């Protein structure tokens, strides 16, 4: 199959982006769309919300721990090997989960093995191949990958709720695994390919300006001998702290949003649609934010995202009617996307693209620690206080703190348009 250059009608790299978005939709939707499973699993297995929150929390850690492993295996064996390995683990974990009623086996299968397998089909596995295929439009392509993650929340949460009501949670997991098989096997064999054409998607005359921009921006960055040097600088920890709160907030909502809303008197479908609406709106806002991130200071945009998200957490815990829920969901969706994409871009601005992969990997692991802590604390808080209000209030406070930390990140320098500032921005004096 001809790869086509960017000057022709369609560049083959966009097929890779499209299928990567679909895989990301399934993966992130499975990982963050836990809410509809929560009560049915707890009731059928006869476990407490605290125990199930613990299982989910460990799963978040396993998901995060699997990401650097997946990244290393992509480098050594290629994307196809990692995707098919992940599919194998997902299939084994799914069958193990639906055939067991033992809580220890459930913990090992659903909590650990499924989560580790999902890390192998996560955006971390897809980012390297997209980065190889795109130079001129790399930011746009990676933001589309984030759109797949947002679509996962929007699509999978109500779909899971509908399927669980129809066939039960065990058969819903089986259907999910079949969908993974149908999409991943042909995609890994015929579409995903690590070898990009020479020049990727660059237009004639852009290669020289791209190199010039990299030379200019290198003089503005915080110099590092190796990636460990970033651990001694404030921007790294500001970003890591923000991503901790990002993971905390996303999984408080993903794991406990639907149960909280049903406890407040909303029907299961209304609650699921309310949470899913956040993802629907976030799909569009991701594209807009991708454009704005090249025009506005990224640290200001990241700060605003955290602030709006914090306000949304306060409001969603006190809404009384469906229209209020949907209004808050729309507002939250506008700020739900972009925090991880902006964080990785800022890491590149501050420390250079050479180190962005390993630094983003470690900060995303911190994100997953936040996810584990948030998911567990929300379940523990409900059983301790009899309400989700303390956990959602705490989340709002943490997001306000993340907003403040992000505001004090360095500001990227911008160059002339012909030097492609969106791909090669850097930072000014603040260190």
């Amino acid at each position: 199959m001809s790869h086509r250059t960017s000057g022709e009608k369609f560049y083959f790299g966009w097929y890779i982006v499209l299928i990567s978005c679909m895989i990301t939709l399934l993966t992130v939707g499975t990982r963050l769309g836990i809410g509809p499973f929560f009560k049915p699993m707890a009731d059928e297995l006869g476990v407490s919300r605290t125990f199930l929150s613990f299982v989910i929390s460990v799963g978040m850690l396993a998901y995060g721990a699997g990401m650097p492993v997946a990244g290393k295996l992509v480098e050594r064996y290629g994307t196809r090997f990692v995707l098919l390995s992940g599919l194998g683990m997902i299939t084994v974990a799914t069958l193990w989960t639906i055939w067991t009623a033992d809580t220890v086996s459930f913990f090992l299968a659903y909590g650990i093995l499924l989560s580790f397998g999902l890390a192998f089909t996560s955006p971390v596995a897809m980012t390297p191949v997209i980065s190889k295929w795109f130079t001129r439009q790399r930011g746009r392509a990676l933001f589309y990958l984030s759109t797949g993650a947002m679509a996962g929340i929007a699509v999978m949460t109500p779909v899971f709720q509908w399927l669980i009501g129809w066939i039960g949670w065990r058969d819903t997991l089986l259907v999910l695994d079949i969908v993974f098989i149908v999409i991943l096997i042909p995609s890994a064999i015929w579409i995903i390919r690590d070898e990009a054409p020479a020049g990727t998607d660059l237009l004639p005359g852009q290669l020289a300006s791209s190199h010039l921009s990299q030379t200019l921006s290198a003089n503005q960055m915080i110099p590092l001998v190796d990636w460990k040097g970033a651990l001694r600088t404030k921007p790294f920890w500001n970003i890591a702290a923000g991503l901790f709160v990002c993971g905390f907030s996303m999984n408080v909502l993903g794991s406990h949003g639907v149960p909280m809303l049903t406890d407040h008197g909303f029907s299961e479908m209304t609650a699921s649609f309310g949470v899913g609406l956040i993802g629907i709106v976030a799909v569009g806002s991701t594209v807009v934010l991708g454009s704005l991130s090249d025009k506005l200071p990224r640290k200001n945009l990241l700060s605003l995202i955290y602030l709006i998200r914090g306000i949304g957490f306060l409001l969603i815990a006190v809404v009384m009617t469906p229209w209020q829920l949907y209004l808050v969901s729309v507002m939250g969706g506008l700020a739900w996307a972009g925090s991880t994409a902006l964080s990785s871009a800022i890491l590149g601005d501050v420390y250079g693209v050479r180190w962005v992969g390993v630094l983003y990997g470690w900060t995303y692991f911190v994100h997953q620690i936040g996810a584990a802590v948030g998911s567990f604390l929300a379940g523990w808080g409900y059983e301790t206080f009899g309400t989700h209000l303390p956990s959602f209030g705490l989340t709002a406070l943490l997001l306000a703190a993340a907003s403040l930390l992000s505001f004090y990140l360095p500001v990227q320098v911008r160059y002339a348009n012909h030097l492609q500032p969106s791909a090669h921005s850097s930072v000014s004096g603040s260190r």
Side-chain angles (χ1 to χ4, degrees), residues 17-37:
V17 171
L18 177 61
I19 201 63
S20 297
C21 286
M22 295 175 63
I23 295 171
T24 299
L25 183 152
L26 288 173
T27 299
V28 176
T30 300
R31 189 66 281 163
L32 295 182
I34 301 170
F37 289 92

Side-chain angles (χ1 to χ4, degrees), residues 403-424:
S403 174
L404 186 63
L405 288 174
S406 299
F407 185 76
Y408 285 101
L409 286 167
V411 180
Q412 73 267 22
V413 168
R414 306 207 173 277
Y415 303 106
N417 290 335
H418 71 281
L419 292 181
Q420 299 290 315
S422 63
H424 305 291

